[in-house]
Amino acid sequence: MFNAITQSQIYVLDQDEAVDFYVGKLGLEITADVDMGFMRWLTVGVPGHPERQILLEKPGAPAMSEETAEQVRELVTKGAMGGWLILTTDDCRKTYETLLEKGVEFTEEPTERPYGIDCGLRDPFGNRIRFTQPKA
């Protein structure tokens, strides 16, 4: 049977802009950037953890028609695609301040939760991202 989840996927509208955000601002690293001809396979991950990657996929062929891709792009922009990420950090408040200084726009400030401290933001395309400092 299965022994790991290795890749997850979210839609982005511009992969270069996604690299600027996910690598340049959030501090993730590129784990693959391959021109497959029909698509660019672009993944990022937490530095030092190549076993779990996030595919930053641009909606389009061959997975969907141009009409469907346009509908997906509209839903991504509205933040209604349902795709989202949760990252963990050792210090949610410090990470929040660091990202604020880099110009990241948050939807929610760090808040105490039963499971730890977390906060929320959206990437430049509307995808929801949370990061959590798990309760010790």
Side-chain angles (χ1 to χ4, degrees):
M1 292 302 291
F2 307 111
N3 57 21
I5 296 174
T6 59
Q7 299 179 338
S8 301
Q9 173 271 1
I10 59 171
Y11 287 116
V12 298
L13 303 183
D14 181 302
Q15 290 175 307
D16 292 327
E17 187 177 356
V19 167
D20 290 343
F21 181 77
Y22 284 93
V23 176
K25 291 190 175 179
L26 296 188
L28 302 183
E29 66 183 10
I30 294 174
T31 50
D33 190 356
V34 181
D35 181 354
M36 299 180 67
F38 57 89
M39 71 175 285
R40 179 180 176 189
W41 184 266
L42 175 63
T43 62
V44 294
V46 173
H49 294 277
E51 70 278 6
R52 184 71 194 263
Q53 302 174 9
I54 304 162
L55 172 65
L56 303 173
E57 183 177 7
K58 192 173 174 181
M64 59 187 72
S65 69
E66 182 51 40
E67 179 183 356
T68 300
E70 182 55 36
Q71 293 170 340
V72 170
R73 287 189 285 270
E74 288 177 19
L75 291 172
V76 168
T77 301
K78 293 177 182 176
M81 269 305 289
W84 59 310
L85 303 171
I86 300 176
L87 304 169
T88 59
T89 180
D90 293 331
D91 189 333
C92 185
R93 295 182 199 287
K94 182 177 179 184
T95 302
Y96 171 82
E97 293 298 328
T98 299
L99 295 179
L100 267 181
E101 290 172 8
K102 292 183 174 183
V104 172
E105 296 180 21
F106 284 83
T107 57
E108 191 175 328
E109 295 180 0
T111 305
E112 297 274 349
R113 307 278 185 197
Y115 49 82
I117 304 170
D118 80 351
C119 61
L121 60 119
R122 289 189 191 269
D123 74 6
F125 315 104
N127 293 302
R128 295 177 297 162
I129 300 171
R130 300 196 72 81
F131 58 87
T132 302
Q133 174 186 336
K135 207 168 218 168

